Amino acid sequence: MDAKLQQLKDTFEMLPDWEERYRFIIDLGRKLEPLPETAYRDENKVRGCMSQVWLIADEAGDGEQIRFLGDSDAHIVRGLIAVLLLIYSDKSPREIVDTDIQAIFEELALEQHITANRRNGLHSMVETIRQLGAQRLDASA
């Protein structure tokens, strides 16, 4: 487990209940780097989310890694985007595709504490991130 993910897990374990964890997740969302205005286009919208969600992929560092940026019109969803960016950003396309997100969600106990609609949206966001990673992987093959 990488350092950012371990820190997230440790913070979750420190917080006494899910109400506090929700506040923490929302706070993470407030700290998201803003998307450029040009990113708010239909092709960057994530399908399958009740809220509006935009995700884009950019090169990070040496060009071998992908940095993701995202935004939503809902506070908790912005926070969930922030959690996903902690998990997936600054990784290689191979690492993105190979990430066992179910195991991570289980460790964080995330899925059982969000509504079914949010869970569906979360999986749509994960699928979009994985597709963006797979596209970069195919392009470099």
Side-chain angles (χ1 to χ4, degrees):
M1 183 177 296
D2 74 11
K4 289 188 285 186
L5 185 54
Q6 186 61 52
Q7 185 177 7
L8 177 66
K9 187 177 178 234
D10 293 345
T11 302
F12 265 37
E13 288 171 358
M14 252 180 12
L15 296 170
D17 56 36
W18 269 93
E19 190 173 316
E20 290 294 319
R21 290 176 188 168
Y22 284 131
R23 282 194 198 112
F24 174 72
I25 289 170
I26 290 168
D27 194 45
L28 284 176
R30 285 190 181 112
K31 296 174 184 169
L32 277 179
E33 184 179 330
L35 283 176
E37 282 302 314
T38 56
Y40 294 95
R41 296 191 309 241
D42 203 46
E43 64 262 24
N44 296 327
K45 254 188 171 177
V46 177
R47 307 285 176 247
C49 295
M50 289 191 64
S51 307
Q52 293 192 82
V53 175
W54 297 269
L55 280 172
I56 60 171
D58 202 0
E59 285 186 4
D62 58 8
E64 293 293 315
Q65 297 175 321
I66 300 175
R67 187 171 137 252
F68 292 97
L69 297 170
D71 195 12
S72 175
D73 59 352
H75 293 296
I76 190 73
V77 177
R78 278 181 64 94
L80 292 172
I81 291 168
V83 168
L84 291 177
L85 299 188
L86 277 171
I87 295 167
Y88 285 108
S89 264
D90 302 320
K91 300 242 166 69
S92 72
R94 171 57 56 207
E95 290 171 308
I96 291 164
V97 171
D98 289 348
T99 296
D100 185 353
I101 196 67
Q102 276 314 121
I104 294 170
F105 287 165
E106 285 171 24
E107 279 190 67
L108 297 174
L110 189 61
E111 287 188 314
Q112 60 261 44
H113 289 94
I114 58 176
T115 65
N117 286 335
R118 294 239 194 278
R119 201 166 32 251
N120 290 339
L122 187 64
H123 285 284
S124 295
M125 289 186 275
V126 166
E127 189 54 37
T128 298
I129 288 169
R130 289 178 54 85
Q131 286 173 358
L132 290 167
Q135 287 169 6
R136 299 274 175 107
L137 195 58
D138 291 345
S140 68

